[in-house]
Amino acid sequence: MTLPLGDLVAIIPELIVATVACLVLVLDPITPPSRTHWLAWLSVASLVACFGITVSRMDATVTAFSDLMILDPYAGYWKLLLYVVTALTILLSLAYLRVERIHLGEYYGLILLSLAGMMIMVSAADLLVIYLGTELMSLSLYVLAGFKRFEVRSLEASAKYFVLGSFSSGILLYGISLLFGVAGSTRLSAIAAAVGTHGLDDPALLFAMILLVVGFGFKIAVVPFHMWTPDVYEGSPTSVTAFMAVASKAASFAAFLRVFLEGLGGLREKWYALFLVICVATLILGNVVAIVQTNIKRMLAYSSIAHAGYALIGVVVAGQAAADNETRALGLSSVMLYLAMYAFMTFGAFAVVALLRKGGLEGEEIEDFTGLAKRQPLAALLMLVFMVSLAGIPPTAGFIGKLYVFMAAVNAGLTWLAVVAVLLTAVSAYYYLRVVMVMYMREPDPSAGLVSRLTTSPALTLVLASAFAGVILLGLFPDPLVSITTSAVLPFK
Amino acid sequence: MVPLSYYVILSAVVFITGVVGVLIRRNIIIILLSIELMLNATNINFVAFSHYFQNIAGQVFVFFALTVAASEVAVGLAIIIALYRSKSTINVDEFQLLKW
């Protein structure tokens, strides 16, 4: 059997990423330790190439490997977002790993393998391929979470992530096997057809749907499947946390939306109410529990749970049974927009946390930010912008993202949901602005002195500048991104 | 011939055993084994449905699922060994550094 050449051409970006990942792993032992950053730059270069290829193919819809993979504008949009986030992660890691004294080139290989898994997830049109992509992403992330292997916290985070991650994968796979039993195939199109013939009350179908909700719920970290998030985000190396919080969440959302809108779209009468409950619970728990956190990484973990809740508002809108296709498309495009905005501001916040880190735990407790405006005005200013954006205050990206999600909700007649979300946004302003208050209103502890200098490295400057530019530019000129998301939504049938 | 429902019930029992094992056992190796039970329950389902539909795809899925399960164990055991070296225990109740 020979592979048709066209199929391989269709997945060139995935092939590049996977090949460079293997190349990095092979080159690592023969690269002198002082030269590991070459591997990082090689990885970034490959991402730039992939970005170009994906951009050039954005408008076409191609299926490959007898409909196992689909390359549509929807997949293209998520891939572009993932390339940007991965490139930023690698650049951030260049500086951060030096501070943490981790000189291992396989770090970059694992990041790229994880990215390859995410790319497969977003362009898969078959549940089994989605499962394989998820596993490739997760297995790499389990290892990355424990990368500071001489620190017990990091290992614990890794073990917890592994146990809960593979538990949820097991549940997901069981759901897939039941869907295979109902539909006789794991193609999303075949499942959609089976939903049509079996009707809404087939118990096996409903049970499989619930298992998929649980499986994906763990991956996107929504209540009640969120309990791993704070522990894993706190214990992992900060650069990995940023990658998990942004890239793995975006990829999981992308796959989850495709499965539920394309495969199980006919069942949306059933899953709509389920997501509505999950969405409200996530918003409330994420925002309220974040208030009491003292560790900034834990606080950002709860904030990321809350943001998943905001994105779920768009999912709920897209899943409304009664609404017309235009309203639902608006919901879906608001999710895509929201996660792009979320990516820049969350990544920026984690980058500042990583920047302030020296030995020990400094820079991870909110107290460590006391008087930062005096000690490091620039870092404090950046953190201010990211916190303001996370709280959703104009003129930042966070405001625009929330605006579109709330607009979609109001447009779909879910005004009460938008009101609840706005009220909880006011709650979230408390814990975001508390960081700002600590930085700007308190005098620095004299014993801390001016020791923590801004670690200047070109890569880190680039990361912070990109995140800052993303937050401000997307906040002031969101129109180009809005038009991209509107044209890249999944076709509703 | 054994009816399809017998296989599905068997796989459900194995799956639930696995889920309960993950939730109530405290030894991380047993938890790992319970996760394997969950994955193997899936394999029973895939093979049974494959036979029922006379569709070979289900058996192909089993190979994928087995491969993924094997790599999951490899990564998991590596993490457990690294953890055991620094904590000298594999009881999940002892992993208290991060609030579970």
Side-chain angles (χ1 to χ4, degrees), chain A residues 3-24 43 46-47 49-50 53-54 57 64-65 69 71 79 83 109 112-113 115-120 123 136:
Chain A
L3 282 172
L5 194 62
D7 289 349
L8 291 178
V9 172
I11 58 158
I12 281 182
E14 280 88 348
L15 290 177
I16 293 181
V17 170
T19 315
V20 173
C22 297
L23 197 65
V24 166
S43 314
S46 72
L47 291 175
C50 291
I53 296 172
T54 305
R57 292 173 171 183
F65 297 101
M69 306 276 283
L71 293 106
K79 279 185 194 169
Y83 298 145
L112 287 181
L113 279 180
L115 171 68
M118 293 172 191
M119 291 164 71
I120 292 168
S123 54
L136 180 53

Side-chain angles (χ1 to χ4, degrees), chain A residues 71 74 89 99-100 137 211 214 218 254 276 280 319-320 391 397 440:
Chain A
L71 293 106
Y74 177 78
T89 306
V99 177
E100 293 283 354
M137 169 186 89
L211 291 174
V214 176
F218 268 104
L276 199 56
V280 174
Q320 262 204 328
Y440 278 88

